[in-house]
Amino acid sequence: MEQAAAVDPILDLARPSILRNPYPSYDRMRETGPVFWHELLGSWVLTRHADCLAVLTDSNRFASDWRRAGEDIPAPLLSVQTLDPPEHTAIRHLLLDGFRAQDRQALHDDLEGQIADLLAELAGRPSFDLVGELAEPIALRFVTAFLGVPAPELDWFVPMSRTVVDGMDAGLWPEKHEPAVAARAQLAEYAGGWLADPPKDGLIAYVAEHAAESGVAETVLRNSLRAVLHAGYESASRLLGNAAAALLTTPGALDAFRATPATAVDELIRYDAPVQADARVCVTDTELGGVTMKAGDPVTLFLGAANHDPLRFDHPTELRLDRAPNPHLGFGRGAHACLGASMAIRLTGSVLRTLATDHPGARAVAEPEHRRNLTLRGLDRFEVCLRPDTGEEVRP
């Protein structure tokens, strides 16, 4: 009898049946060996919360800037996301100061009206795609309004953004690398145009006014603005899609959301976070999780697994919207914690509150369809209806 080929635990995550729910697969990895070497990735893989947190918060031993391990990094990849202190400090402070200078309450007040209007319009339809008709346009409007620039056309921006995300999995599928580098460069050029003719308000206006005194190189500045646009959009749109899918496919969850708004979004992030994986490189020989990592070894952090670690979370497979405290790693930790996390959380909360309050009969009319991405988890399509279920057939 022919022996079945061994299943690669990470490549297996891309199977459609596992894409729908990767968390049992993460559990098996953690139980088999919470820290292991993966040949195809050429990387150590971490699945426990404590180990992932240790790496995220130790930039002395684990670098985001792979030049510290002797790698040659192309200029289009140098940004606030990929630099380490002290270079990272200047660009992060410039962006954080710009964030704090914005009137975020006014932005959210304006956006809440747009959310209510869009949902009211969609409620008149038999069904609609929550991803393409709600999450993506709302997220793009939100991040560009914060930046102070007009939103680009969705038909142009979304495919390019998805190409960048696909490239995050190039360690498994190398053919995705070059298109992603080209897409990043094109988005950086687009963002660089904002600095040449900055708006009067918003984050871009602040950055343009203070760029010279910051000491940040122009290339890094353009790439970082591209990163804010792209990461802000992807984090918000994917979080919103994943969260809505969890609420609308878990019995009673939409009703429970109305009772626990203060803690619910953090639990939705923990339960099915957009950022499933992150990477660092070891810059000095280090012992972690019972193994010795050598300088130059890549380290892949499965944050989705960490967020379901039973050593850190009671009953991690359950969606408990009143869970507190909730030390999830959904937006990272340490020096590279997501700059726009609070914005994505607030946007998601606003949309879901409006959905739960104004459209309590909202329901899924088809299974959520996931994109074939392992680093950033998100939906490709999710058909929903905002009308109560009357027992009649719903036709898209």
Side-chain angles (χ1 to χ4, degrees):
M1 185 176 184
E2 188 176 344
Q3 188 175 7
V7 174
D8 184 289
I10 294 180
L11 283 175
D12 203 43
L13 294 170
R15 286 170 46 199
S17 60
I18 295 180
L19 270 177
R20 285 196 291 272
N21 180 15
Y23 302 104
S25 295
Y26 290 149
D27 291 342
R28 287 191 291 272
M29 287 186 213
R30 191 169 47 244
E31 291 162 5
T32 302
V35 181
F36 65 94
W37 180 262
H38 190 264
E39 286 294 340
L40 180 57
L41 283 177
S43 172
W44 292 103
V45 175
L46 310 183
T47 56
R48 287 187 300 212
H49 186 280
D51 295 333
C52 290
L53 180 61
V55 172
L56 289 172
T57 54
D58 188 350
S59 59
N60 290 324
R61 293 187 299 166
F62 298 98
S64 293
D65 188 344
W66 289 56
R67 295 176 302 173
R68 293 172 60 194
E71 295 282 339
D72 183 19
I73 304 300
L77 299 184
L78 297 177
S79 74
V80 67
Q81 293 178 319
T82 60
L83 296 173
D84 282 331
E87 286 179 278
H88 172 264
T89 306
I91 179 60
R92 186 173 180 88
H93 281 178
L94 175 62
L95 293 173
L96 278 175
D97 289 346
F99 271 67
R100 295 174 182 135
Q102 306 311 306
D103 187 347
R104 283 172 281 182
Q105 186 59 52
L107 175 67
H108 281 282
D109 289 346
D110 180 62
L111 192 72
E112 294 223 347
Q114 295 183 44
I115 291 168
D117 290 346
L118 181 54
L119 282 170
E121 177 187 334
L122 295 170
R125 307 248 302 270
S127 70
F128 66 96
D129 172 24
L130 184 139
V131 177
E133 299 180 85
L134 177 63
E136 291 178 342
I138 281 291
L140 189 57
R141 284 187 213 172
F142 181 59
V143 70
T144 51
F146 187 80
L147 291 168
V149 295
E153 292 294 328
L154 278 167
D155 290 347
W156 174 79
F157 179 79
V158 171
M160 192 172 305
S161 181
R162 290 184 172 188
T163 298
V164 173
V165 173
D166 289 346
M168 296 176 186
D169 294 330
L172 297 173
W173 300 292
E175 69 277 6
K176 297 181 181 294
H177 175 69
E178 289 302 328
V181 171
R184 278 192 180 95
Q186 191 170 347
L187 283 176
E189 183 180 354
Y190 175 73
W194 299 332
L195 293 176
D197 184 20
K200 295 181 180 179
D201 301 301
L203 179 65
I204 301 298
Y206 182 93
V207 168
E209 183 180 351
H210 295 87
E213 66 199 55
S214 72
V216 176
E218 185 178 348
T219 299
V220 170
L221 190 56
R222 286 200 311 271
N223 294 341
S224 296
L225 292 176
R226 179 268 304 162
V228 170
L229 169 67
H230 179 257
Y233 161 79
E234 287 289 354
S235 296
S237 62
R238 289 178 184 245
L239 171 57
L240 181 52
N242 293 354
L247 288 183
L248 298 181
T249 60
T250 304
L254 193 61
D255 289 335
F257 181 87
R258 284 193 290 273
T260 55
T263 57
V265 175
D266 269 319
E267 172 64 356
L268 288 163
I269 297 169
R270 183 204 68 81
Y271 185 73
D272 198 20
V275 182
Q276 292 282 296
D278 203 353
R280 297 290 189 271
V281 62
C282 192
V283 293
T284 185
D285 292 0
T286 299
E287 186 172 332
L288 182 69
V291 305
T292 299
M293 301 175 181
K294 299 293 186 180
D297 283 353
V299 183
T300 299
L301 320 175
F302 271 105
L303 304 181
N307 287 335
H308 281 243
D309 185 349
L311 294 176
R312 192 64 187 86
F313 301 97
D314 292 333
H315 305 285
T317 61
E318 297 178 11
L319 180 64
R320 297 185 168 185
L321 296 177
D322 60 351
R323 189 185 297 270
N326 196 335
H328 65 77
L329 304 178
F331 284 114
R333 292 288 181 85
H336 285 277
C338 179
L339 281 167
S342 61
M343 294 168 53
I345 290 169
R346 190 163 180 180
L347 171 64
T348 298
S350 295
V351 174
L352 296 181
R353 275 194 303 274
T354 304
L355 184 70
T357 303
D358 296 355
H359 307 280
R363 55 198 168 88
V365 298
E367 287 289 323
E369 300 173 21
H370 289 83
R371 287 192 58 76
R372 191 170 176 261
N373 297 132
L374 302 188
T375 300
L376 283 192
R377 177 170 171 78
L379 303 183
D380 193 41
R381 184 175 181 84
F382 183 32
E383 199 73 17
V384 304
C385 176
L386 299 186
R387 301 174 182 178
D389 188 358
T390 61
E392 298 179 1
E393 183 181 1
V394 174
R395 297 183 181 275

